[in-house]
Amino acid sequence: MTHVPPPAEELRLLDAELWQLDARRSQLLHRRAWLVAALQSAHPVHPAPQAPMEASRPEATAPGVQNLLLLLGGVLLTVAAMVFTLVSWGHLGIAGRALVLGAVTVAALGAPLVLLRRGLRSTAESVAGLGLALTVLDAYALQQVAFTGTDGAGYTAVASTLLAGLWAAYGLLPRAAGLRLPLPAALAAAQLPLLFWAVSAGAGSTGIAAALLVTAGFDTGVALRVTAGSVRVLAAVGAHGTGALGALTAGWLSWDAAGPGAAARAAALLTLAAAIALVAAWRLPKPAAATGHAVPGGLLLVAAVGGVLRVALPDGWTVPGYLACGVALSAALRVRLPEPVRRGLVQASAAVQAVAVACAMPLVVVALLGPLGWAERWWTGAPSDARAAAAVHMPWPPYPGQLLLGPVVVAAVLALLVRGETRRPQALTGATLLVWATAMTLPAVLQLPYSTALLLQGAVTGAALAAAAFRFLPVTGTALALGGSVSLAFLSLASQTATLTVLSVLTALFAAASLRPHLAPFTAPAALVYATALACVTGLAADWQPQHTALLVLVVPAAAALLAARLGESHARVPVEVTGAAAGLPAVGLAITAPPMLALVLSLCGVIAAGTAVRSDRRPVGYAAAALFLLAGWVRLAAWDVGTVEAYTLPVTVPALCVGARRRSRDPQASSWTAYGAGLAATLLPSLAAAWNDPHWTRPLLLGTAALLTTLLGARHRLQAPLVLGGSVLVLDALHELAPYLVQMTGALPRWVPFALAGLLLLALGATYERRLRDVRRVRDILTTMN
């Protein structure tokens, strides 16, 4: 009888068998993947043959070809009509001329109506274009025959008016409703009458600007009311083009106005241009387009009123006058206007205020960057006042008091008028920048005493740093403190006492600010920079030799290394280390004229770097320490007038080879180039260069012996780097010794030998190429036979 286990026992047996099946399946899948990879490596898959090329497709559509042919036909007929009118006109009498042109024009204007009834719309458009061109030629012919003595500009104004009316009437005919060319052509002709009428009447720039602006108003009305797409686009283009030309002309007239009357006329034109732009902004449905039209409208209003104020106010008050108009324009925030229009007016006000600030920027630049000129005239004596100190090598801009009103007024506007959670912080930042620039420029503008300027700029720098320390605009305050301290440091170079005092104060100020963790990454490096400058200045004031001052400067890198070790995981650690390392460069530069002292300075720098490398996270600095000690040794050898190259290279090669051997002992898979390449090249290559120019035999012999030993060691241990470097140096050394004999042998050879060798080389390459082509053809024939 069959034994049936209980359900729990049967479930356990089933689970065990399923687990064994899964394990076996995983083993088989791994084996299958290995076999597939082995087969693919043994028999690589050849790329599939390319698909046959598709048949060429036509590059132009049938409607496109049709339209091109019709366009070319219309153009050629128009050219023929022009040639007939301009060249062959004189061969006919008056009656014949009128008959020919009249008949052709009537036929060209009537044919599209028939063609439209037959459904030939494109052909009708081409013939209609020819008819419109013929009407222009009719007008020209009429002027040449009947109105030869008339003014050209006046006749053009009348003719363009008549043509615009004729073309508009023709396009509005019920039977011509399908034509899209007459109405845009009529609108294009309507751009000319007022302009040519102003030119004919001698209205001057004012009349021309008025004509352009009235035309722009007409185009604006057409663009806002007409529904036809082509007419609206052409009207918009005309409105923008004529409006821009008219507004620019009016702006030039306003700026060039010498009296109140001319300024008032220019202001009227600018107001008209502003009204056109604002009406368009009010009526446009899209908010972006409405804002884009409201911005120039607001700017034109400012230009209109500001131009009148410019004439009325004294010299120097032009920028404040325009600025007042721009600030007044910001009152649009309180007026009930469509939001896009109000936004555009506010942006126009902001643009005017930005221009006012930009006009004051030369003044701020001179006040902040002008003191840089004291770097060439240091300690020549304190200047008479702050303006003389700032403008030491840069011209002082005129009207400084009026120009400085711009940043002050804009700062007040940003602080008092700008609201909103997103814009308020940005406005406060901008106001802070402007107030700082004003405070730094104010001593030079008011011509305060030199010492007062130093105190005021120092107070502004300290205030900015204090604001950043208490997290009131921390980023902006820190940036302003750093920038102001640079200007203050250069400004103090005029006097020795001022320089020592200012650098000491700046060092202490930024060192104290470094106690704040969020400021330390910026202020600690600044403190080290000013400490380095203070050390240099102290040595100079004490009449020390530059190489002795270098020892004092090295205190800064040592202090930076000690400070970085105590900072731990602070964000200021890396900036402090980088600044400390950079502070060693002035020490090296000061000692470079005295080689013994330079060797001492490099050794001390190596000691500082070695002390930094003791830390577990700064082990790579040990390489820099080794390089500094090596440089110190080289400088000492140079000071002792040691000229042997190997005295400089062997101290590099021996430690490098020792390090490479240790590396290979720990990692047998390491490349010989990584382990021994740099060490061997450090001695073999410079020695080879020296031996190449050495007339004696001692150095080449010793170098060849060393290269031979290196090659043998590389061959013995099967190492590529010693084998290649040693063999290459050995061959080059041998060629150097055989060079005189090779030159003699080359001179003895006939001149045809090099050409013969080149010919043989080319023949060999050609034969190889032909043989490979033959093999390819043979393989192709075999594959074809197999198929």
Side-chain angles (χ1 to χ4, degrees), residues 311-698:
V311 178
L313 293 175
D315 293 339
W317 289 92
T318 300
V319 174
Y322 282 103
L323 178 60
C325 298
V327 174
L329 191 63
S330 61
L333 291 171
R334 308 294 181 184
V335 182
R336 292 184 178 180
L337 293 173
E339 181 59 27
V341 178
R342 181 166 53 187
R343 188 185 306 116
L345 294 178
V346 171
Q347 291 178 5
S349 174
V352 174
Q353 297 177 47
V355 172
V357 172
C359 291
M361 280 301 102
L363 186 67
V364 178
V365 169
V366 172
L368 294 178
L369 301 183
L372 298 179
W374 289 105
E376 299 177 354
R377 303 172 56 183
W378 47 277
W379 293 0
T380 56
S384 59
D385 53 44
R387 182 176 296 184
V392 62
H393 76 300
M394 298 177 68
W396 188 253
Y399 310 113
Q402 292 85 342
L403 291 178
L404 199 60
L405 288 176
V408 174
V409 173
V410 175
V413 170
L414 291 175
L416 298 177
L417 298 184
V418 179
R419 294 289 184 268
E421 297 181 358
T422 57
R423 296 181 179 179
R424 183 65 178 173
Q426 300 175 359
L428 290 178
T429 301
T432 304
L433 289 171
L434 294 176
V435 170
W436 173 82
T438 304
M440 296 293 289
T441 311
L442 192 61
V445 173
L446 300 180
Q447 291 183 304
L448 298 178
Y450 175 67
S451 57
T452 305
L454 292 176
L455 290 175
L456 183 58
Q457 290 194 3
V460 172
T461 302
L465 202 56
F470 290 101
R471 296 185 181 277
F472 177 74
L473 298 175
V475 178
T476 305
T478 304
L480 295 181
L482 292 173
S485 66
V486 173
S487 178
L488 178 60
F490 278 96
L491 186 64
S492 67
L493 291 178
S495 171
Q496 176 179 330
T497 304
T499 303
L500 293 172
T501 303
V502 168
L503 291 179
S504 300
V505 171
L506 290 178
T507 302
L509 185 64
F510 283 101
S514 300
L515 298 177
R516 294 282 184 173
H518 67 284
L519 295 182
F522 308 99
T523 56
L528 293 175
V529 170
Y530 288 121
T532 304
L534 180 61
C536 296
V537 171
T538 301
L540 185 63
D543 290 333
W544 290 358
Q545 295 293 328
Q547 60 268 24
H548 297 155
T549 305
L551 298 177
L552 181 61
V553 175
L554 283 179
V555 175
V556 178
L562 294 176
L563 178 62
R566 297 179 61 86
L567 288 176
E569 298 298 328
S570 173
H571 294 291
R573 182 179 59 176
V574 174
V576 166
E577 291 175 342
V578 173
T579 308
L585 297 178
V588 174
L590 290 170
I592 199 168
T593 57
M597 188 60 71
L598 178 60
L600 176 60
V601 169
L602 290 173
S603 300
L604 293 177
C605 292
V607 170
I608 297 173
T612 303
V614 172
R615 292 157 47 193
S616 58
D617 57 340
R618 290 293 183 266
R619 298 298 189 201
V621 184
Y623 295 107
L628 288 170
F629 285 132
L630 179 64
L631 286 175
W634 285 355
V635 172
R636 174 54 65 181
L637 290 174
W640 286 339
D641 294 331
V642 176
T644 305
V645 176
E646 288 73 18
Y648 297 88
T649 58
L650 287 176
V652 180
T653 296
V654 174
L657 292 179
C658 293
V659 172
R662 185 173 179 83
R663 169 72 182 275
R664 290 273 299 179
S665 63
R666 291 186 175 183
D667 184 13
Q669 301 299 324
S671 172
S672 62
W673 289 102
T674 304
Y676 306 118
L680 292 174
T683 291
L684 292 177
L685 299 182
S687 297
L688 178 62
W692 200 264
N693 297 321
D694 194 345
H696 304 288
W697 59 271
T698 306

